[in-house]
Amino acid sequence: MRDVGGLQRFERRLETMISGVFAKTFRSAVQPVEIAAALQREADNNAQILSRDRRLVPNDFHVELSGTDLSRLAPYDSTLARELSDQLQQHADTQGYVFPGPIRIGFEAADDLSTGRFRIRSEAQATVHGTASPRQVSRALAVLEVNGTRHPLQPPGLVVGRGSDADLRIDDPGISRRHLELMVVEDRSGGHPHVEVHDLGSTNGILVDGRKVPRASLQEGSVVRLGNTTLTIRFVTEAGQYGQSGVAGV
């Protein structure tokens, strides 16, 4: 349900913050209050039930606009993103929503949108906690990509879960405290290490390349899904790159 009073307070606060320029800038373009309302709807439409009083909603939002609207918004985008985040957090508090990580709102141009029109894409991106240094990542022969972060896969492997005792901790409510183990065996001939994934008796299980399995061998580009999070395996190439995803250690 839309929080109409909250949206009105949001609009008045934003107008005050940018000293009246707001009304002139956005008179014929996308209105920030429309974006705020659409963000609320996006959260409402994608809420997943966790318990009687808690529902998981996306935390990563991409607002797509016409080039004209994006240019008009540019001087205020950081202020607007901050205010939209605060407004969305207030809406979440009233609805019992839980975000898997910090709220992120970005603005992007879309060639197929005309002035005054916009759309929103969203996804749940849990915060990832690892202990490896950038040097360890750069020297690894295999890495795990998770929500824009990279983590080295080295023998004997690592445990992934939501609990504090996991080697790689992901703040995803759909993940068990000790969800899965990635077992890594070095190839003594100098080739790629052998990597296997084992479900550790998790509540929701794992999907490997779209199939629900208790264990599987992983190849370059293999995707493991647990909860609302995906893990992608990348092996280093002779050129010092990880698969197709970029320079090692970046």
Side-chain angles (χ1 to χ4, degrees), residues 23-223:
K24 296 178 181 178
T25 301
F26 294 100
R27 182 173 295 141
S28 61
V30 172
Q31 299 296 311
V33 70
E34 295 175 349
I35 298 176
L39 289 169
Q40 290 186 10
R41 288 195 300 272
E42 184 73 8
D44 295 341
N45 293 338
N46 289 280
Q48 301 178 41
I49 296 175
L50 297 176
S51 66
R52 180 177 178 180
D53 301 317
R54 297 169 69 245
R55 285 179 287 175
L56 179 73
V57 294
N59 63 311
D60 190 55
F61 298 88
H62 302 264
V63 182
E64 297 182 345
L65 305 148
S66 69
T68 300
D69 283 331
L70 187 64
S71 297
R72 289 173 176 172
L73 183 148
Y76 317 106
D77 58 359
S78 59
T79 298
L80 182 57
R82 184 169 58 252
E83 290 296 312
L84 288 168
S85 296
D86 290 346
Q87 171 63 28
L88 190 56
Q89 182 64 64
Q90 292 173 23
H91 178 67
D93 292 342
T94 63
Q95 300 297 318
Y97 293 159
V98 176
F99 296 107
I103 299 173
R104 292 185 291 265
I105 299 175
F107 304 96
E108 304 171 3
D111 294 338
D112 63 327
L113 293 176
S114 57
T115 301
R117 299 185 65 83
F118 69 95
R119 62 172 168 257
I120 294 176
R121 294 182 292 106
S122 68
E123 60 181 326
Q125 282 214 345
T127 302
V128 183
H129 306 272
T131 59
S133 67
R135 180 175 177 81
Q136 288 175 308
V137 176
S138 67
R139 298 182 65 180
L141 294 179
V143 296
L144 194 63
E145 295 183 341
V146 193
N147 292 350
T149 65
R150 278 182 173 153
H151 309 271
L153 284 174
Q154 299 171 323
L158 53 82
V159 172
V160 179
R162 186 168 46 85
S164 58
D165 58 340
D167 301 308
L168 185 64
R169 182 162 60 90
I170 304 176
D171 296 334
D172 181 336
I175 294 178
S176 298
R177 295 185 63 82
R178 289 172 58 87
H179 199 109
L180 63 80
E181 182 176 13
L182 290 159
M183 304 180 69
V184 182
V185 178
E186 181 181 0
D187 185 337
R188 298 191 179 279
S189 67
H192 296 155
H194 178 68
V195 182
E196 290 186 1
V197 61
H198 291 242
D199 183 6
L200 295 177
S202 64
T203 301
N204 297 320
I206 60 174
L207 294 175
V208 178
D209 295 329
R211 295 187 304 114
K212 189 168 186 177
V213 293
R215 64 180 61 85
S217 294
L218 302 179
Q219 312 299 323
E220 161 65 30
S222 288
V223 175

